[in-house]
Amino acid sequence: MSVATETLRAPRVAHSAGDTGIWSWLTTVDHKRIGVMYFLTSFFFFFVGGVEALIIRIQLFRPENAFISPETYNQMFTMHGTTMVFLVAMPMAVAFFNYIVPLQIGARDVAFPRLNALSYWVYLFGGIFINSSFFFGSAPDTSWVGYANLTTATFEPGRHVEFWLIGLSIPGVRSIMGGVNFITTIVNLRAPGMKMMRMPLFSWMSLVTSFLLVTALPVVAVALILLAFDRFFGANFYEVTAGGDPILWQHLFWLFGHPEVYILILPSFGIISDVIPTFSRKPLFGYPVVVYAGILIGFIGWGVWSHHMFTVGLGPIADSFFVASTMIIAIPTGIKIFNWLATMWGGALRFPTPMLFAVGVVAVFTIGGLSGVMHASAPIDLQQHDSYFVVAHFHYVLVGGAILGLFSGLYFWFPKVTGRMMSEKIGKWHFWLTLIGFNLTFFPMHFSGLFGMPRRTWTYRAELNLETWNQLSTVGAFIFGFASLLLIWNLLRSARKGERAPANPWEAGTLEWSIPSPPHHYNFPELPEVRSREPLWEEGERREVEGATMKEPEEEPLMPSPSFWPFLVALGIASTWALVMTGIWWVPLLGLAFTAFGVFSWAFQPAFR
Amino acid sequence: MNKAKLMRWIRSLGVLLTVAFLSACGEEHLQSTINPVTDYGEVTHHLYVQVFWWTMIILVVVLSVLAYVLIRFRERPGQERPKPIHGHMGLEIAWTIAPAIIVVAIVIPTIQGVFAVQRPPEEGALVVEVTGKRYWWAFHYPELGVTTANELHLPVGRPVSLRLESGDVIHSFWVPQLGGKRDVNPVVAMPEGEEAKRNWMHFTIREEGVFWGQCAEFCGEAHSLMGIRVVAQNEGDFQRWVEDWRTPAPTANAPDSAADAAGQSAGGGGAGGGGVSGPGAGDQDAPMTTTTAEDPLVARGRQVFFRESYCVLCHSIQGTPAAGVIGPNLTRIGSRGTIAAGLLENTQENLVAWITDPNTVKPGAHMPGADYSVTFEGQTYPPLNLNDEQIRALAAYLSSMR
């Protein structure tokens, strides 16, 4: 392998055709730059949500503590959940879609580069909007699921709910646009010979996730729009006294909410399905089965939503159906885990940081999956639902499954993005401290839940004897927080002083490793012809592919020109929603007019100049 | 990090966790989900134990294989890229079928359990209408005509059916030792002829005791302080408690007017949250109260309760003119273990603290303070305008009604 890579030097300029000023970032339509912006923004919100988590943990360190008021506490856990789901886990996965998918499938950019830029800016403005609520003293405080009828004006006067529903609607727009973009990209822009069944697993899972995005987000949009009608125009969809039914909210929310779980977890499954074979130095075991299992999870994920509602009282028939469908989903999930194990079996395992995180996902996600099997059994769920046991479960799945997987991807692809290696030493510290901190935070929560601690509670009584478990959790959370600071340090340090990365530092087999690190702004000087799933692992094919991907083109391929309109249109979309907060009916129309103006100007601006 | 150091770390962490686990398990857990005292809780618990062991087996198998693989297949120096293996149909089928069998083994008893925990009520069960409100609980026994708050008295050995209904937002009734939680939903208006949907819980308690619980569905600011106490008593004690409730406490009314007031309430008590006292209540009561020497502080407190504040607007006391239904029923409040929905021990000092400044004791509570008003469901309730002397007397009066 080294023979091929040592002749390559990392180009000095990252990402683009030389422009590095702020204007070039505001107007960029390059999927790689947008990917980097997605990552940095979601990484920033990761720390915002993390600080909220630590404040929660300080409050729960002692029983009957009053470190913060219940009012503040309710805002903290609501914003922690909302931030981590909508502003961290989803967009961080999208950061990887953006940067990596076009490189993996052999495309020069995504199908709709400007739409891609628009998606990012809408996400950024949405994140800023919802967090601005803190400055108005109106941070959302009705939990990330925002159950009706607690969200009606009768019970929640003030602006908390309005900030929340608009703050979710704006990034929701982004998710749908992003989903459309990636479906189109993956279906239409694959390099010659890159058949669907030759695509790397990460691209596959990005495709499945994108389908879930475009189908699931509209459902929550409906729920939120109904709520908006209730709040702003005095409608009664969730107002019991007027004949509305609050259970409707739960059905709509979870009909979105469960596919959402797979939106969060499948990208991570995709990442580790690429990482594990690379460091086992062996192709993915049962590739088609892993692909089909992912698709199956995406499908069945639509038929399990009421397992979040076993305590609601839907009746034994409905409960039994959702028990069965939920249990069935354990089978394809198990298949994935077995195939990862089989991939490593008989391999020659190497353990750089990305592999450590990937193995961590397999171990930790298994625990989260199995506790999920427990409350998939509806009668057991009657005890565990809304207790800390469930809090333990979904953090094992979403932190242990999704976030650790994204970290694995971060360490894996960082050299490709920056042209520099991350520090292995800091990386290993980061991994072990994260693993210890994570387990110390969330494992004790199984016990606090079993011993009767409900979630979303500001405090707990000393007599309940839950103090020890909560203290372990708090200590763990701070270790986890400290470990995350190591990650920042590693990123900053490695981006500037890291060892130069060759094109294929990990000796991986997929297409993104056939181009220089960092890639040219046009990715591929010439589109390679692909003949297998790991074109770089077969000597003859590698030479052929690199003949196309490594050559210096006589003339640079024509790439779409930068445009400022996506930024302005995003500003228009976000401000239209934000101006709804004024409560004056014609004010949002100003934002809408601005958006329309932006869309027209965009449409008449040529893509190539 | 070197390996020995790491192992030491892991070992000390293991010791720490073991110690924590043992010390925590030795303690009494008042809200333990794994220590059921009813048939209903038993269904869940049996299922839990069964599924727990299935998941443990799978966990041990998966983690052992993982550990084996990680150790056995480390790359050796100079090792060639291993032979590529793309898959194995037999294995794929095997690890599809094996989990499927386990899933079936879990689903069958689960569905039996689903039907068992939602079975129809038993004949002759004691019905209690549970109403969750922000942030307290009302318990009404329609057959007994009893209405109380936050402390639910139930007989041991007799089937009980709880009918759950919310007075505002969604709550969840969770007393883990009785069994799993059920959401307490607001009742949605139904088309004529259709029965409104309400959740029920049916169970029979096996042993006496006080069982702790609390609201388990986030319902607003004081959600974490919306406690429940279930007092499970033998049939005799339970009957005595019912009788006590029906009979006004000796100090409930002024000695001279006791008979009058009790007589009044027999007619007017219906408005007080459905409290229907027996027709003979006043007769039984009269001889007891007239003979007792009255504590002046209690008499003063009664004056404050009925004449110097507007307590009666929201609160009822069985056998007195107090018939408000907005707040908790206060009949025999002196006999309760706690006040403010399980939050405070029921002492005179705590009553004073609570009446003076409920919003500090329980942030989000909807009771007006001695010197501040509260807005609740669109209605503003002015300050109680009581001084310390009045509040102490009031507390004495409430405590006296045992």
mmCIF file of all heavy atoms in Angstrom, chain A residues 204-230:
data_model
loop_
_atom_site.group_PDB
_atom_site.id
_atom_site.type_symbol
_atom_site.label_atom_id
_atom_site.label_comp_id
_atom_site.label_asym_id
_atom_site.label_seq_id
_atom_site.Cartn_x
_atom_site.Cartn_y
_atom_site.Cartn_z
ATOM 1 N N TRP A 204 -24.960 3.744 1.670
ATOM 2 C CA TRP A 204 -26.241 3.037 1.710
ATOM 3 C C TRP A 204 -27.114 3.528 2.857
ATOM 4 O O TRP A 204 -28.297 3.807 2.690
ATOM 5 C CB TRP A 204 -26.009 1.528 1.893
ATOM 6 C CG TRP A 204 -26.287 0.733 0.660
ATOM 7 C CD1 TRP A 204 -25.379 0.015 -0.065
ATOM 8 C CD2 TRP A 204 -27.563 0.554 0.023
ATOM 9 N NE1 TRP A 204 -26.009 -0.585 -1.117
ATOM 10 C CE2 TRP A 204 -27.345 -0.272 -1.096
ATOM 11 C CE3 TRP A 204 -28.842 1.031 0.278
ATOM 12 C CZ2 TRP A 204 -28.381 -0.655 -1.957
ATOM 13 C CZ3 TRP A 204 -29.866 0.664 -0.574
ATOM 14 C CH2 TRP A 204 -29.632 -0.169 -1.675
ATOM 15 N N MET A 205 -26.502 3.612 4.031
ATOM 16 C CA MET A 205 -27.293 4.024 5.184
ATOM 17 C C MET A 205 -27.692 5.496 5.064
ATOM 18 O O MET A 205 -28.737 5.913 5.565
ATOM 19 C CB MET A 205 -26.533 3.766 6.489
ATOM 20 C CG MET A 205 -26.364 2.282 6.802
ATOM 21 S SD MET A 205 -27.943 1.379 6.854
ATOM 22 C CE MET A 205 -27.798 0.333 5.412
ATOM 23 N N SER A 206 -26.863 6.302 4.381
ATOM 24 C CA SER A 206 -27.249 7.687 4.125
ATOM 25 C C SER A 206 -28.499 7.725 3.253
ATOM 26 O O SER A 206 -29.393 8.560 3.459
ATOM 27 C CB SER A 206 -26.125 8.442 3.408
ATOM 28 O OG SER A 206 -24.947 8.362 4.158
ATOM 29 N N LEU A 207 -28.565 6.803 2.300
ATOM 30 C CA LEU A 207 -29.737 6.752 1.419
ATOM 31 C C LEU A 207 -30.988 6.386 2.216
ATOM 32 O O LEU A 207 -32.026 7.049 2.110
ATOM 33 C CB LEU A 207 -29.494 5.726 0.306
ATOM 34 C CG LEU A 207 -30.627 5.552 -0.707
ATOM 35 C CD1 LEU A 207 -30.877 6.851 -1.464
ATOM 36 C CD2 LEU A 207 -30.317 4.426 -1.684
ATOM 37 N N VAL A 208 -30.857 5.333 3.040
ATOM 38 C CA VAL A 208 -32.013 4.914 3.836
ATOM 39 C C VAL A 208 -32.442 6.057 4.765
ATOM 40 O O VAL A 208 -33.623 6.397 4.877
ATOM 41 C CB VAL A 208 -31.674 3.642 4.654
ATOM 42 C CG1 VAL A 208 -32.839 3.268 5.565
ATOM 43 C CG2 VAL A 208 -31.336 2.490 3.722
ATOM 44 N N THR A 209 -31.447 6.680 5.411
ATOM 45 C CA THR A 209 -31.750 7.791 6.324
ATOM 46 C C THR A 209 -32.439 8.931 5.581
ATOM 47 O O THR A 209 -33.384 9.538 6.095
ATOM 48 C CB THR A 209 -30.447 8.302 6.963
ATOM 49 O OG1 THR A 209 -29.783 7.200 7.570
ATOM 50 C CG2 THR A 209 -30.723 9.348 8.016
ATOM 51 N N SER A 210 -31.969 9.217 4.362
ATOM 52 C CA SER A 210 -32.568 10.318 3.605
ATOM 53 C C SER A 210 -34.028 10.026 3.288
ATOM 54 O O SER A 210 -34.875 10.928 3.347
ATOM 55 C CB SER A 210 -31.790 10.549 2.311
ATOM 56 O OG SER A 210 -30.461 10.903 2.620
ATOM 57 N N PHE A 211 -34.323 8.770 2.959
ATOM 58 C CA PHE A 211 -35.732 8.420 2.737
ATOM 59 C C PHE A 211 -36.536 8.627 4.015
ATOM 60 O O PHE A 211 -37.666 9.122 3.973
ATOM 61 C CB PHE A 211 -35.865 6.971 2.252
ATOM 62 C CG PHE A 211 -35.794 6.844 0.755
ATOM 63 C CD1 PHE A 211 -34.664 6.338 0.126
ATOM 64 C CD2 PHE A 211 -36.867 7.246 -0.035
ATOM 65 C CE1 PHE A 211 -34.592 6.238 -1.259
ATOM 66 C CE2 PHE A 211 -36.812 7.143 -1.417
ATOM 67 C CZ PHE A 211 -35.666 6.643 -2.032
ATOM 68 N N LEU A 212 -35.949 8.246 5.136
ATOM 69 C CA LEU A 212 -36.666 8.453 6.402
ATOM 70 C C LEU A 212 -36.872 9.944 6.672
ATOM 71 O O LEU A 212 -37.919 10.361 7.156
ATOM 72 C CB LEU A 212 -35.900 7.811 7.564
ATOM 73 C CG LEU A 212 -35.882 6.280 7.589
ATOM 74 C CD1 LEU A 212 -35.025 5.775 8.734
ATOM 75 C CD2 LEU A 212 -37.292 5.722 7.713
ATOM 76 N N LEU A 213 -35.862 10.752 6.321
ATOM 77 C CA LEU A 213 -35.993 12.196 6.542
ATOM 78 C C LEU A 213 -37.154 12.777 5.750
ATOM 79 O O LEU A 213 -37.983 13.498 6.290
ATOM 80 C CB LEU A 213 -34.697 12.916 6.143
ATOM 81 C CG LEU A 213 -33.525 12.844 7.113
ATOM 82 C CD1 LEU A 213 -32.281 13.444 6.470
ATOM 83 C CD2 LEU A 213 -33.832 13.576 8.400
ATOM 84 N N VAL A 214 -37.214 12.446 4.462
ATOM 85 C CA VAL A 214 -38.270 13.078 3.655
ATOM 86 C C VAL A 214 -39.648 12.516 3.983
ATOM 87 O O VAL A 214 -40.652 13.158 3.702
ATOM 88 C CB VAL A 214 -38.032 12.975 2.131
ATOM 89 C CG1 VAL A 214 -36.794 13.731 1.738
ATOM 90 C CG2 VAL A 214 -37.955 11.549 1.667
ATOM 91 N N THR A 215 -39.711 11.325 4.577
ATOM 92 C CA THR A 215 -41.027 10.794 4.908
ATOM 93 C C THR A 215 -41.434 11.117 6.341
ATOM 94 O O THR A 215 -42.604 11.368 6.601
ATOM 95 C CB THR A 215 -41.071 9.266 4.701
ATOM 96 O OG1 THR A 215 -39.897 8.689 5.262
ATOM 97 C CG2 THR A 215 -41.144 8.919 3.234
ATOM 98 N N ALA A 216 -40.475 11.132 7.269
ATOM 99 C CA ALA A 216 -40.849 11.296 8.679
ATOM 100 C C ALA A 216 -41.014 12.758 9.073
ATOM 101 O O ALA A 216 -41.898 13.088 9.851
ATOM 102 C CB ALA A 216 -39.811 10.626 9.588
ATOM 103 N N LEU A 217 -40.161 13.629 8.544
ATOM 104 C CA LEU A 217 -40.222 15.023 8.986
ATOM 105 C C LEU A 217 -41.555 15.694 8.672
ATOM 106 O O LEU A 217 -42.056 16.475 9.482
ATOM 107 C CB LEU A 217 -39.049 15.817 8.399
ATOM 108 C CG LEU A 217 -37.800 15.959 9.275
ATOM 109 C CD1 LEU A 217 -38.123 16.777 10.520
ATOM 110 C CD2 LEU A 217 -37.187 14.646 9.680
ATOM 111 N N PRO A 218 -42.167 15.384 7.525
ATOM 112 C CA PRO A 218 -43.489 15.997 7.287
ATOM 113 C C PRO A 218 -44.519 15.631 8.354
ATOM 114 O O PRO A 218 -45.423 16.416 8.625
ATOM 115 C CB PRO A 218 -43.889 15.436 5.923
ATOM 116 C CG PRO A 218 -42.597 15.151 5.244
ATOM 117 C CD PRO A 218 -41.683 14.681 6.331
ATOM 118 N N VAL A 219 -44.364 14.451 8.962
ATOM 119 C CA VAL A 219 -45.343 14.061 9.978
ATOM 120 C C VAL A 219 -45.242 14.986 11.187
ATOM 121 O O VAL A 219 -46.251 15.479 11.698
ATOM 122 C CB VAL A 219 -45.133 12.589 10.399
ATOM 123 C CG1 VAL A 219 -46.170 12.196 11.434
ATOM 124 C CG2 VAL A 219 -45.207 11.671 9.194
ATOM 125 N N VAL A 220 -44.015 15.237 11.628
ATOM 126 C CA VAL A 220 -43.878 16.133 12.789
ATOM 127 C C VAL A 220 -44.222 17.556 12.370
ATOM 128 O O VAL A 220 -44.723 18.346 13.171
ATOM 129 C CB VAL A 220 -42.474 16.039 13.434
ATOM 130 C CG1 VAL A 220 -41.428 16.770 12.645
ATOM 131 C CG2 VAL A 220 -42.519 16.568 14.858
ATOM 132 N N ALA A 221 -43.996 17.871 11.091
ATOM 133 C CA ALA A 221 -44.395 19.203 10.613
ATOM 134 C C ALA A 221 -45.897 19.378 10.772
ATOM 135 O O ALA A 221 -46.367 20.427 11.227
ATOM 136 C CB ALA A 221 -43.982 19.387 9.153
ATOM 137 N N VAL A 222 -46.666 18.330 10.445
ATOM 138 C CA VAL A 222 -48.118 18.389 10.622
ATOM 139 C C VAL A 222 -48.453 18.634 12.087
ATOM 140 O O VAL A 222 -49.222 19.532 12.432
ATOM 141 C CB VAL A 222 -48.783 17.087 10.124
ATOM 142 C CG1 VAL A 222 -50.235 17.021 10.571
ATOM 143 C CG2 VAL A 222 -48.678 16.982 8.612
ATOM 144 N N ALA A 223 -47.824 17.829 12.960
ATOM 145 C CA ALA A 223 -48.098 17.981 14.389
ATOM 146 C C ALA A 223 -47.804 19.407 14.849
ATOM 147 O O ALA A 223 -48.578 20.007 15.598
ATOM 148 C CB ALA A 223 -47.269 16.977 15.185
ATOM 149 N N LEU A 224 -46.667 19.950 14.372
ATOM 150 C CA LEU A 224 -46.261 21.287 14.810
ATOM 151 C C LEU A 224 -47.157 22.366 14.224
ATOM 152 O O LEU A 224 -47.465 23.365 14.874
ATOM 153 C CB LEU A 224 -44.798 21.542 14.420
ATOM 154 C CG LEU A 224 -43.748 20.760 15.211
ATOM 155 C CD1 LEU A 224 -42.383 20.872 14.549
ATOM 156 C CD2 LEU A 224 -43.662 21.258 16.647
ATOM 157 N N ILE A 225 -47.595 22.154 12.978
ATOM 158 C CA ILE A 225 -48.464 23.167 12.365
ATOM 159 C C ILE A 225 -49.818 23.195 13.084
ATOM 160 O O ILE A 225 -50.369 24.263 13.352
ATOM 161 C CB ILE A 225 -48.611 22.902 10.854
ATOM 162 C CG1 ILE A 225 -47.284 23.247 10.155
ATOM 163 C CG2 ILE A 225 -49.747 23.730 10.264
ATOM 164 C CD1 ILE A 225 -47.179 22.763 8.732
ATOM 165 N N LEU A 226 -50.324 22.013 13.432
ATOM 166 C CA LEU A 226 -51.568 21.996 14.211
ATOM 167 C C LEU A 226 -51.375 22.749 15.524
ATOM 168 O O LEU A 226 -52.218 23.538 15.935
ATOM 169 C CB LEU A 226 -52.008 20.546 14.496
ATOM 170 C CG LEU A 226 -52.334 19.650 13.304
ATOM 171 C CD1 LEU A 226 -52.896 18.319 13.790
ATOM 172 C CD2 LEU A 226 -53.320 20.309 12.358
ATOM 173 N N LEU A 227 -50.232 22.509 16.152
ATOM 174 C CA LEU A 227 -49.949 23.198 17.412
ATOM 175 C C LEU A 227 -49.838 24.701 17.182
ATOM 176 O O LEU A 227 -50.341 25.508 17.973
ATOM 177 C CB LEU A 227 -48.655 22.651 18.030
ATOM 178 C CG LEU A 227 -48.224 23.256 19.369
ATOM 179 C CD1 LEU A 227 -49.283 23.032 20.429
ATOM 180 C CD2 LEU A 227 -46.891 22.666 19.829
ATOM 181 N N ALA A 228 -49.203 25.069 16.069
ATOM 182 C CA ALA A 228 -49.079 26.494 15.748
ATOM 183 C C ALA A 228 -50.468 27.113 15.571
ATOM 184 O O ALA A 228 -50.724 28.221 16.044
ATOM 185 C CB ALA A 228 -48.250 26.674 14.475
ATOM 186 N N PHE A 229 -51.378 26.388 14.925
ATOM 187 C CA PHE A 229 -52.741 26.899 14.767
ATOM 188 C C PHE A 229 -53.401 27.081 16.136
ATOM 189 O O PHE A 229 -54.079 28.078 16.373
ATOM 190 C CB PHE A 229 -53.570 25.950 13.890
ATOM 191 C CG PHE A 229 -53.500 26.312 12.429
ATOM 192 C CD1 PHE A 229 -52.408 25.960 11.664
ATOM 193 C CD2 PHE A 229 -54.527 27.028 11.834
ATOM 194 C CE1 PHE A 229 -52.329 26.311 10.324
ATOM 195 C CE2 PHE A 229 -54.461 27.387 10.493
ATOM 196 C CZ PHE A 229 -53.352 27.033 9.738
ATOM 197 N N ASP A 230 -53.177 26.109 17.020
ATOM 198 C CA ASP A 230 -53.738 26.237 18.370
ATOM 199 C C ASP A 230 -53.184 27.474 19.072
ATOM 200 O O ASP A 230 -53.916 28.228 19.698
ATOM 201 C CB ASP A 230 -53.379 24.997 19.219
ATOM 202 C CG ASP A 230 -54.364 23.863 19.018
ATOM 203 O OD1 ASP A 230 -55.173 23.955 18.088
ATOM 204 O OD2 ASP A 230 -54.314 22.893 19.800
#
